[in-house]
Amino acid sequence: EDTFQLGANGNIDTAYFDRAARHQTNNGGPADWVQVRDTTGGTCCIGLWGPLARDVVATVSNDDFTNDGLKYFRSKQVVIGGVPVTAMRLSYVGELGWELYTSAENGQRLWDTLFKAGQPFGIIAAGRAAFSSLRLEKGYRSWGTDMTTEHDPYEAGLGFAVKMAKDNFVGKAALEGRTEENSARRLRCLTINDGRSIVLGKEPVFYKNQPLGYITSAAYGYTIQKPIAYAYLPSTVNIGDAVEIEYFGRRIPATITQDPLYDPTMTRLRG
């Protein structure tokens, strides 16, 4: 109840938590009940994801990885191949699975155990490009790329994560009165019409021949077999509208598409 692990985005986040902890008070004096510790150097994480993830882990662990044993968006302490692991039931790639955290000295052992166990199931070691492609198919945002301090949650399509009914939280005053409906711009999903043109990011997006936004993230979606891009555009640009992306002087036609493109009902993640 009093221990939290956060996957921060970098040193700015670490500094924020340090500063916030120092400003906590205990009966008017300095807080002695909040400590912030950066464990990055001593920690490693392996993502085990996919429709056969449970089959793989069942061969090397006696812990309960069923839906009842470890529900979606929960975590628990488990042992995998003799390695103590914090298993978090979440996925940045839109498939069933877990982020598996252990100490740095146990990282190689955990990797070898899982990779060997997965051979009969066709396991692969996927890299950053696959990771990016899958997250875009699922519509997951990336901090620093798809959203920064210049955007609010409603513009980024993350209004569902804001609970304005809470008494107070950092940033509540700044969000008063804001909704997705009254946002001047929205982060929109684009699919590229020709099915093959890939853009990189930061390219201008034209609507009715006017430059109105820019690409944040882009990749080829291998599951849906279409190139995907995300862009901030005025809220007046709606699902189904045609736009163009300028890529090295060439205009590439694209269509505003409802996201997420993959598993919108979350059945694969929660199954």
Side-chain angles (χ1 to χ4, degrees):
E1 294 182 358
D2 58 3
T3 302
F4 302 84
Q5 176 177 315
L6 295 99
N9 290 287
N11 292 333
I12 292 176
D13 288 348
T14 306
Y16 173 86
F17 286 115
D18 280 334
R19 186 166 59 250
R22 287 197 300 271
H23 287 139
Q24 296 294 319
T25 60
N26 187 8
N27 296 325
D32 57 7
W33 51 274
V34 180
Q35 296 181 358
V36 178
R37 187 161 55 96
D38 184 355
T39 63
T40 305
T43 307
C44 74
C45 176
I46 297 171
L48 177 64
W49 297 305
L52 301 180
R54 281 200 181 102
D55 299 297
V56 173
V57 79
T59 67
V60 287
S61 178
N62 293 323
D63 286 287
D64 186 358
F65 282 85
T66 65
N67 214 23
D68 291 332
L70 181 51
K71 295 182 183 297
Y72 178 66
F73 237 68
R74 300 291 189 271
S75 68
K76 72 174 183 179
Q77 303 298 316
V78 299
V79 176
I80 298 175
V83 177
V85 171
T86 299
M88 295 188 180
R89 174 80 187 281
L90 50 88
S91 167
Y92 203 49
V93 301
E95 292 285 355
L96 167 70
W98 312 272
E99 288 185 357
L100 304 173
Y101 290 86
T102 190
S103 56
E105 70 271 19
N106 281 317
Q108 185 70 58
R109 180 179 174 185
L110 179 61
W111 174 275
D112 290 344
T113 297
L114 290 170
F115 201 67
K116 181 179 179 181
Q119 293 307 305
F121 302 95
I123 200 169
I124 63 168
R128 176 62 62 174
F131 193 80
S132 180
S133 174
L134 290 166
R135 80 158 180 90
L136 287 177
E137 288 186 326
K138 191 59 182 169
Y140 289 145
R141 280 63 167 141
S142 173
W143 175 257
T145 304
D146 299 313
M147 52 189 180
T148 69
T149 53
E150 296 179 6
H151 309 105
D152 71 41
Y154 302 105
E155 295 173 330
L158 298 175
F160 67 89
V162 179
K163 307 301 182 187
M164 293 300 290
K166 287 185 176 180
D167 291 338
N168 195 20
F169 56 85
V170 176
K172 182 176 182 178
L175 294 177
E176 291 284 359
R178 298 196 184 193
T179 65
E180 291 185 7
E181 289 71 24
N182 66 19
S183 293
R185 60 182 175 179
R186 294 287 302 279
L187 183 62
R188 294 297 197 186
C189 176
L190 286 62
T191 52
I192 295 175
N193 295 354
D194 65 15
R196 57 184 174 81
S197 295
I198 306 293
V199 297
L200 301 176
K202 305 303 182 185
E203 295 88 357
V205 179
F206 289 76
Y207 176 65
K208 295 183 178 179
N209 215 35
Q210 296 295 316
L212 297 181
Y214 65 93
I215 299 297
T216 59
S217 295
Y220 187 81
Y222 290 91
T223 310
I224 66 166
Q225 297 185 341
K226 289 181 181 179
I228 307 165
Y230 274 78
Y232 278 99
L233 294 168
S235 295
T236 52
V237 182
N238 295 309
I239 305 299
D241 284 345
V243 296
E244 292 180 311
I245 306 167
E246 185 174 288
Y247 185 70
F248 287 94
R250 180 167 64 96
R251 295 283 183 90
I252 300 174
T255 302
I256 308 298
T257 308
Q258 182 64 55
D259 67 333
L261 299 168
Y262 182 71
D263 189 30
T265 59
M266 301 281 283
T267 54
R268 299 182 73 90
L269 273 174
R270 297 178 183 273

